[in-house]
Amino acid sequence: MTETLLQLQEVSAQVGSNLVLNRIRLQVLAGQWTCIVGPNGAGKSTLLRVLAGLQPVTGHVRFKGHPWSAWSPRERASRLAWLGQSQEEDGDWPVRDLVAMGRLAHRDRWGFASPSDEAYVEAALHQWGLDAWRDRPLRSLSAGQRQRARMARLTASQASVLMMDEPVANLDPPHQADWLAWAKAWGQGANTLVTVLHELPLAMQADQWVVMQAGQVVQVGSPQDAATRAAVEAVFDDRIRLESHSGQWVSLWR
């Protein structure tokens, strides 16, 4: 039986004076790729922040059966890695230094990098095609190149749970395909991936969809299920439809 990794019970969240999430109940399973989908303003990014323990809430959020407050910052960072939408949050480091930040939770008490830390950083740089840019400052890169550097930081962390908000937003189609291949391979076995995506054909490859509308979870299920796809079409006011053509899923305007 698949283990419940994250559990939300009657969770509500405000951003400023606005109630963004309203009494959410949700389970995220370990070893799967869960994708949060829905229209703008549905509360997707806030839900992702709640799952990562980054958003104040009322109600209960449990990771492996324990509230986030029971985990130390180091324990949390070694188990879960986060990728938000804003690239400004990364500062203006050289690419290699940004990627190396993924290893901070694994370093010794003095902050020194071990040979294994260095190996993970080098592997991540190579995996995301960053070898030639390793010494370049982030400001000199395009938005898509910076996004790949941020992805390398996450994979260097070797955290078993990765959470990403719009990870392919700045990537060109070939690199979106690379990301999808990586995501399908990553979200298996002991690893768990939770994403927010607007690119529904990519999201169709996930194991589970969490469909949101107006701060509520309206459907949880496999994107392969007709009922789940119908729920997505409904939250977009039936202005789209999801169809399979030659074995590939596409999103069409009505």
Side-chain angles (χ1 to χ4, degrees), residues 2-6 28-32 189-192:
T2 305
E3 174 192 3
T4 297
L5 181 72
L6 284 148
V28 173
L29 302 179
Q32 292 192 358
N191 295 322
T192 304

Side-chain angles (χ1 to χ4, degrees), residues 99 124-125 128 130 147-157:
V99 177
L125 287 165
W128 293 98
L130 300 169
Q147 190 74 342
R148 287 156 61 188
R150 300 171 84 220
M151 283 296 308
R153 172 175 59 82
L154 259 66
T155 52
S157 75

Side-chain angles (χ1 to χ4, degrees), residues 39-216:
N40 292 335
K44 302 183 299 297
S45 294
T46 302
L47 178 59
L48 192 68
R49 290 180 61 83
V50 167
L51 290 169
L54 301 175
Q55 176 73 36
V57 300
T58 60
H60 303 282
V61 182
R62 291 185 172 86
F63 177 72
K64 295 188 173 182
H66 302 285
W68 272 124
S69 59
W71 301 87
S72 71
R74 187 180 183 92
E75 288 174 327
R76 181 184 306 193
S78 65
R79 290 166 171 79
L80 184 149
W82 165 266
L83 180 69
Q85 289 188 38
S86 173
Q87 297 198 0
E88 301 306 317
E89 65 194 21
D90 299 319
D92 195 26
W93 305 90
V95 169
R96 192 190 184 284
D97 288 357
L98 176 68
V99 177
M101 288 180 184
R103 300 302 304 166
L104 290 178
H106 302 276
R107 293 184 181 182
D108 64 27
R109 60 183 297 185
W110 309 111
F112 293 116
S114 68
S116 63
D117 290 327
E118 300 290 347
Y120 284 127
V121 170
E122 293 301 319
L125 287 165
H126 183 71
Q127 177 180 357
W128 293 98
L130 300 169
D131 297 281
W133 308 329
R134 58 191 298 121
D135 297 319
R136 288 178 56 178
L138 288 170
R139 68 174 179 272
S140 70
L141 304 183
S142 71
Q145 291 167 337
R146 290 181 67 175
Q147 190 74 342
R148 287 156 61 188
R150 300 171 84 220
M151 283 296 308
R153 172 175 59 82
L154 259 66
T155 52
S157 75
Q158 292 293 296
S160 61
V161 183
L162 301 184
M163 295 195 178
M164 306 180 189
D165 196 353
E166 296 294 344
V168 301
N170 294 306
L171 300 182
D172 58 26
H175 287 108
Q176 287 189 8
D178 291 343
W179 181 90
L180 178 60
W182 168 84
K184 291 172 68 175
W186 177 267
Q188 297 177 357
N191 295 322
T192 304
L193 181 62
V194 186
T195 60
V196 170
L197 280 177
H198 282 297
E199 294 78 3
L200 294 179
L202 296 183
M204 283 296 303
Q205 305 301 315
D207 299 300
Q208 175 176 265
W209 272 3
V210 177
V211 185
M212 296 194 69
Q213 184 177 41
Q216 299 277 355

